[in-house]
Amino acid sequence: MPHRPTRKRKHSEKIRKVWGRLRRLRSSGKGVVAGWKLQRKHLWRGLAVLAGLLVLYVGYLDFVVRDQFEHKRWAIPAHVYARPLEVFVGLPLAPDRFAKELVSLNYRYAYPAKDPASYQREGDNFEFTTREFHFWDAQEPSHSIRVEFTNNVVTALKDRTTGNNIELVRLDPAFIGGIYPAHHEDRILVKYDEVPSLLPQTLITIEDRKFLSHHGIDIRGIVRALWQNLKAGATEQGGSTITQQLVKNFYLSSERSLWRKFNEIIMALLLDFHYQKKEIMEAYLNEIYLGQDGQRAIHGFGLASRFYFEKPLNELSTAQIATLVALIRGPGFYHPEKHTKRLLQRRNLILDTLAEFNIVTQQEAQFAKQQTLGVIAERRSGITDYPAFLDLVQRQLREFYRDEDLSSEGLRIFTTLDPVLQQELEAVVHKRVEQLDQQRHLHGKLQAAAVLTTINPSVEVLAMVGDRNPRFAGFNRAVDAIRPIGSLMKPAVFLAALNQPSKYNWLTTVEDAPLTLKSQEGQTWSPRNYDNKSHGSVALISALTQSYNQATVNLGMAVDFPAIIDTLHRLGVKRNIPAYPSSLLGAVEMSPLEVVQMYQTFASGGFQSPLRAIREVMNAQGERLRRYPIEVQKTFEPGVITVLNSGLTQVVEAGTAKSVRQQLPKELLVAGKTGTTNDTRDSWFAGFSASHVGVVWVGTDDNQPTGLSGSSGALRIWGDMMSQVATTSLSFESGDGIEMHWVDPVTRRVTDKPCEGGMNLGFVKDTAPREVVDCSGNVITAESHWLPNLFK
């Protein structure tokens, strides 16, 4: 077998051949010249190729720089606001509640209250100065106001500067959260001309003193940093100008390498070549990273000013500006709470430097150094304190906007949330559920959801809780917990009957007796009452107030399913309702929000209106994009709804919900219905006053029995909730085809005045019994006794 040369031997032979050619060229006298010509030719070709590639690459970088800078520079999240409080003479508002409103807006107690977002209180009177704010319909300047209260009503509203009376003042709304892009960056854009001049002066003095004269890079700084990095054997210093910092944050990753540094230098030169210093500084002011709020990254001085000090940028003091500039070197390293002393030392060094360069006087610097950091201790999270409500807002927005619009176009969303009521609802839900959970030994499993809305002129969601821990951003039970509603269904059954006044009124009898129904599949169903008793012939009003299941099923079977299903759809229920007898007792699944939609039609007198959580939407330029108008549709005659509602008030006054009377003001008349499902798996209450609707659900996520009925569970939370609301009492009067009568529900007779156990109920005109008795049961009927005063 022939010997195969190794790779090493082959390589050696090639080298010998090359040396041989070189010796022959040298001996011929042409070797040196030819060799240089050959090398120079290849060198120029290589340099030409490299120059071409460099030109192409620089051209690419130039395109990247200009495209990002001139077009859409940032993905700006949508900012969501609560409703603004509008104060006017005659407004029912308790002074303590007004104080809570100011605190929720982070107004500071000060004397005198002359700065924006400050207030002082003297008894029931307040003096305060509002913040400037751009609303959907106007730019509202800062106002200095005096407001006076008498008996929980605003009685005077004056301009403190002029002393003139004011018709209305609108407070800036609370920021309640944002809708963020995937990388969770947040910022509030500011314009260079709106920024206090001290800020760019401080940035130039501290970060880049040659900013106004260099062309994007500082050669000396780069050389100095390069020397330090070579000595250290690693990339430790950057020598970056403001322009380079902007490039690094705006275009590049945080990777530390020579290649990234090369790109940074070229892009900084290009940026400086194309744009004025003012434009570069404005972009830097909006881009620089200044902190972290959970997943949300705080970018730019506009948002940082709000985040750390709850102030707009133009209201910051010299010390506060120095504090923000100090954070540039490392928001984590100089964290206000974790490294307070370190941040304070950095801030004071900056103040000394400003004095050294005559940006501020020595006296101003010394005064500023004596100030505390002034950072808000409990900073408001931008993620949101109200996850359930913000979830509803996003769902309603998606009807008209894409997800990328919501997370990148800088929309401003004005909602219906009442921040004070929201906080109070959260408190009562958390407290009551903890108590009920311990009482029933449920070991932390008990959950709850609650919704509170207005009624007129539209149905606006004021507060919403979707978890026993209301700040938990998880499963939103107020919207997504689809559970059987139990006896909350019964008012629809009774409404379907009362809508046939020639057949049914509150004193019509119905049998509350055992019954067994068989399905087409041969299955039998025998409903039972909650107390496991039958009560014989009872008036419709007794069947409703005592929530008798057997009587309700007998009534529903007599009225028939088509009429009941039609009634539900006219009430605003959009689900398909199965025509099963069990549906009459609430074997129909709905969310708390859907129940609110149903009960608001009762509360609105037969007028159906979609629930709304959004009032206005504006773009980043302050232009109104979409209004959410009030939509109202008449689905029932107001008269028959008045009749039904008069019965629902008796559920609270004398029926299954009467225990709530202990929680409510004595003079407040409300209506509602308890709901309990099989084996006490779900506890419900839905109720309303003349101005508010509230629905509460209590249960467990695994659908286990809780031992709580509607009255022992959800009703307690509802009572706590309504006791916090400045609401309006229901009232009923005869007229528009309706007569109000005092009746005895046991004897089913009309009385001439209120008697013990009596109820004030509505009847369609000429359908009530004509016989009238006194409280002893003596008949006093005569045409002359049938007087209008019986109807009042």
Side-chain angles (χ1 to χ4, degrees):
M1 179 179 291
H3 176 72
R4 300 181 70 180
T6 65
R7 184 175 298 176
K8 186 174 181 179
R9 287 182 59 190
K10 287 183 177 180
H11 185 64
S12 299
E13 289 173 3
K14 288 181 179 179
I15 291 173
R16 283 197 297 272
K17 289 179 180 178
V18 170
W19 276 110
R21 289 181 62 189
L22 288 173
R23 281 195 297 270
R24 287 192 296 274
L25 284 169
R26 186 182 299 170
S27 63
S28 68
K30 302 177 181 179
V32 174
V33 175
W36 274 108
K37 285 183 178 180
L38 182 64
Q39 290 180 34
R40 188 169 59 186
K41 182 178 179 181
H42 288 305
L43 178 64
W44 282 112
R45 283 180 179 176
L47 289 174
V49 171
L50 287 175
L53 291 174
L54 181 62
V55 169
L56 288 173
Y57 187 66
V58 171
Y60 163 73
L61 292 180
D62 187 65
F63 169 77
V64 171
V65 166
R66 288 190 293 165
D67 182 66
Q68 178 78 346
F69 202 86
E70 292 178 4
H71 296 94
K72 183 179 174 181
R73 301 186 186 181
W74 294 283
I76 309 297
H79 285 178
V80 185
Y81 297 90
R83 64 94 183 94
L85 178 65
E86 296 182 338
V87 183
F88 53 88
V89 173
L91 174 69
L93 182 65
D96 288 346
R97 184 168 290 275
F98 182 68
K100 287 182 180 179
E101 187 84 29
L102 295 176
V103 171
S104 75
L105 294 173
N106 280 317
Y107 275 49
R108 303 172 301 281
Y109 194 91
Y111 185 85
K114 62 179 181 179
D115 295 328
S118 64
Y119 78 99
Q120 65 184 74
R121 179 177 182 177
E122 300 172 356
D124 287 347
N125 303 325
F126 292 77
E127 292 186 352
F128 62 98
T129 301
T130 64
R131 294 188 184 100
E132 179 183 8
F133 193 84
H134 189 180
F135 289 93
W136 57 88
D137 55 355
Q139 177 76 30
E140 194 75 38
S142 176
H143 295 286
S144 188
I145 304 294
R146 178 177 175 83
V147 60
E148 299 176 3
F149 296 84
T150 304
N151 296 327
N152 295 334
V153 175
V154 176
T155 52
L157 197 61
K158 297 178 182 290
D159 187 309
R160 292 165 60 196
T161 305
T162 64
N164 296 333
N165 292 328
I166 299 176
E167 291 186 4
L168 179 144
V169 63
R170 182 164 50 175
L171 275 65
D172 51 296
F175 173 74
I176 62 172
I179 303 171
Y180 300 101
H183 44 75
H184 281 88
E185 287 185 7
D186 193 10
R187 56 177 53 80
I188 296 175
L189 294 183
V190 296
K191 296 180 180 179
Y192 182 87
D193 294 335
E194 298 172 352
V195 171
S197 60
L198 179 61
L199 178 54
Q201 287 179 311
T202 303
L203 289 170
I204 292 171
T205 304
I206 303 302
E207 295 294 321
D208 186 2
R209 292 172 195 167
K210 296 181 180 179
F211 174 72
L212 297 175
S213 59
H214 65 58
H215 297 292
I217 62 173
D218 179 0
I219 299 296
R220 287 186 179 180
I222 292 174
V223 172
R224 183 175 58 252
L226 181 60
W227 174 244
Q228 292 296 329
N229 293 337
L230 287 173
K231 287 197 301 182
T235 305
E236 290 187 347
Q237 290 191 16
S240 296
T241 63
I242 283 177
T243 312
Q244 287 175 266
Q245 290 182 47
L246 175 60
V247 166
K248 182 171 61 177
N249 283 272
F250 208 44
Y251 301 101
L252 303 174
S253 69
S254 58
E255 172 198 9
R256 289 193 169 192
S257 67
L258 290 176
W259 177 248
R260 190 201 61 78
K261 194 68 178 178
F262 170 77
N263 284 326
E264 178 188 303
I265 291 171
I266 298 300
M267 296 175 86
L269 289 168
L270 291 169
L271 197 64
D272 191 86
F273 176 76
H274 287 298
Y275 303 103
Q276 298 178 3
K277 298 291 185 180
K278 178 179 175 180
E279 295 176 284
I280 293 171
M281 178 60 78
E282 181 177 273
Y284 181 86
L285 291 167
N286 286 302
E287 175 60 24
I288 192 68
Y289 171 69
L290 291 169
Q292 197 73 27
D293 170 31
Q295 290 185 324
R296 181 179 70 143
I298 306 298
H299 282 262
F301 285 91
L303 180 60
S305 177
R306 293 282 188 183
F307 179 66
Y308 289 109
F309 302 112
E310 196 59 45
K311 288 182 179 181
L313 199 52
N314 58 9
E315 293 181 13
L316 294 187
S317 66
T318 300
Q320 289 168 334
I321 287 175
T323 299
L324 292 185
V325 174
L327 291 170
I328 292 173
R329 293 291 176 92
F333 188 75
Y334 293 106
H335 192 283
E337 283 79 36
K338 296 178 182 177
H339 306 295
T340 306
K341 185 177 180 180
R342 186 184 293 169
L343 177 57
L344 199 60
Q345 290 173 341
R346 174 70 181 163
R347 182 204 70 175
N348 290 346
L349 177 61
I350 289 173
L351 291 169
D352 287 336
T353 306
L354 293 178
E356 178 186 348
F357 283 85
N358 296 317
I359 305 300
V360 299
T361 66
Q362 288 289 347
Q363 292 79 9
E364 289 173 328
Q366 284 302 119
F367 177 78
K369 286 168 65 176
Q370 293 171 8
Q371 309 304 309
T372 62
L373 287 176
V375 173
I376 301 296
E378 295 183 5
R379 293 191 285 279
R380 193 184 311 176
S381 174
I383 302 302
T384 188
D385 286 339
Y386 314 116
F389 182 83
L390 193 63
D391 175 52
L392 175 63
V393 169
Q394 289 184 252
R395 295 181 194 220
Q396 294 191 356
L397 284 169
R398 289 192 186 107
E399 296 178 19
F400 304 103
Y401 300 97
R402 302 173 302 170
D403 284 344
E404 52 265 39
D405 295 332
L406 298 176
S407 62
S408 64
E409 296 295 336
L411 301 182
R412 301 176 73 210
I413 317 297
F414 294 91
T415 72
T416 60
L417 181 80
D418 183 319
V420 175
L421 282 179
Q422 174 69 30
Q423 292 164 16
E424 291 172 344
L425 178 58
E426 290 173 356
V428 300
V429 167
H430 181 73
K431 179 180 178 181
R432 279 290 184 180
V433 173
E434 290 285 343
Q435 292 174 350
L436 294 170
D437 190 281
Q438 292 177 13
Q439 291 171 8
R440 300 292 170 175
H441 306 291
L442 293 170
H443 309 293
K445 295 173 63 177
L446 195 64
Q447 274 292 352
V451 184
L452 178 66
T453 75
T454 58
I455 300 172
N456 296 312
S458 64
V459 185
E460 295 187 336
V461 180
L462 298 178
M464 173 183 284
V465 169
D467 192 280
R468 66 182 288 170
N469 297 311
R471 302 294 167 86
F472 176 68
F475 182 56
N476 186 358
R477 293 165 188 80
V479 179
D480 294 324
I482 313 301
R483 305 294 289 253
I485 65 171
S487 294
L488 299 191
M489 172 68 77
K490 290 176 181 174
V493 177
F494 283 81
L495 176 59
L498 295 169
N499 207 26
Q500 303 176 46
S502 61
K503 292 184 178 180
Y504 301 98
N505 63 53
W506 284 124
L507 299 182
T508 303
T509 58
V510 61
E511 288 299 313
D512 183 60
L515 70 160
T516 298
L517 301 172
K518 181 179 287 188
S519 68
Q520 293 179 346
E521 293 78 17
Q523 297 175 326
T524 60
W525 180 62
S526 301
R528 295 288 183 267
N529 288 327
Y530 186 75
D531 61 1
N532 289 315
K533 298 178 181 178
S534 299
H535 305 88
S537 294
V538 297
L540 260 59
I541 187 59
S542 297
L544 176 67
T545 57
Q546 303 306 316
S547 201
Y548 292 151
N549 290 335
Q550 295 171 156
T552 301
V553 172
N554 280 320
L555 177 64
M557 299 296 288
V559 172
D560 208 3
F561 280 105
I564 294 170
I565 292 174
D566 177 65
T567 296
L568 286 165
H569 289 156
R570 289 163 67 186
L571 287 171
V573 176
K574 292 183 170 56
R575 292 181 179 271
N576 292 325
I577 309 299
Y580 301 145
S582 58
S583 297
L584 300 171
L585 299 183
V588 174
E589 296 183 335
M590 295 186 198
S591 70
L593 198 69
E594 289 176 291
V595 174
V596 172
Q597 184 72 74
M598 173 180 168
Y599 272 71
Q600 72 83 21
T601 310
F602 298 141
S604 298
F607 292 88
Q608 186 189 133
S609 183
L611 301 177
R612 68 174 190 162
I614 304 168
R615 290 183 176 179
E616 302 284 349
V617 178
M618 293 170 60
N619 64 17
Q621 290 72 44
E623 300 167 335
R624 183 185 292 179
L625 293 184
R626 178 175 291 279
R627 299 199 68 186
Y628 285 74
I630 299 171
E631 300 176 19
V632 179
Q633 179 184 6
K634 181 180 176 181
T635 57
F636 287 95
E637 288 299 324
V640 70
I641 297 295
T642 298
V643 171
L644 177 74
N645 289 350
S646 69
L648 289 175
T649 62
Q650 297 305 317
V651 174
V652 177
E653 294 297 305
T656 57
K658 64 182 179 182
S659 62
V660 82
R661 289 282 1 145
Q662 302 170 10
Q663 297 173 256
L664 300 176
K666 183 178 180 180
E667 67 280 1
L668 180 64
L669 183 65
V670 297
K673 186 71 187 73
T674 53
T676 311
T677 61
N678 289 345
D679 299 323
T680 64
R681 287 183 167 86
D682 301 277
S683 168
W684 289 91
F685 188 78
F688 53 91
S689 65
S691 53
H692 295 88
V693 180
V695 170
V696 177
W697 167 85
V698 176
T700 64
D701 290 338
D702 59 5
N703 201 31
Q704 294 300 305
T706 65
L708 296 169
S709 65
S711 59
S712 64
L715 179 63
R716 296 185 183 183
I717 296 175
W718 189 91
D720 290 337
M721 174 175 69
M722 291 300 289
S723 66
Q724 302 286 343
V725 181
T727 194
T728 309
S729 181
L730 290 167
S731 63
F732 302 99
E733 294 182 358
S734 298
D736 296 327
I738 300 300
E739 301 169 350
M740 296 299 300
H741 296 286
W742 283 97
V743 302
D744 181 339
V746 177
T747 62
R748 302 190 296 277
R749 301 166 89 176
V750 175
T751 61
D752 62 342
K753 59 184 178 182
C755 303
E756 184 178 356
M759 298 179 178
N760 192 28
L761 297 173
F763 294 81
V764 173
K765 189 176 182 179
D766 297 330
T767 62
R770 308 304 289 179
E771 184 178 80
V772 182
V773 300
D774 60 20
C775 291
S776 299
N778 300 315
V779 177
I780 55 173
T781 300
E783 289 300 320
S784 60
H785 284 88
W786 200 254
L787 300 175
N789 67 339
L790 294 179
F791 309 153
K792 294 183 180 178

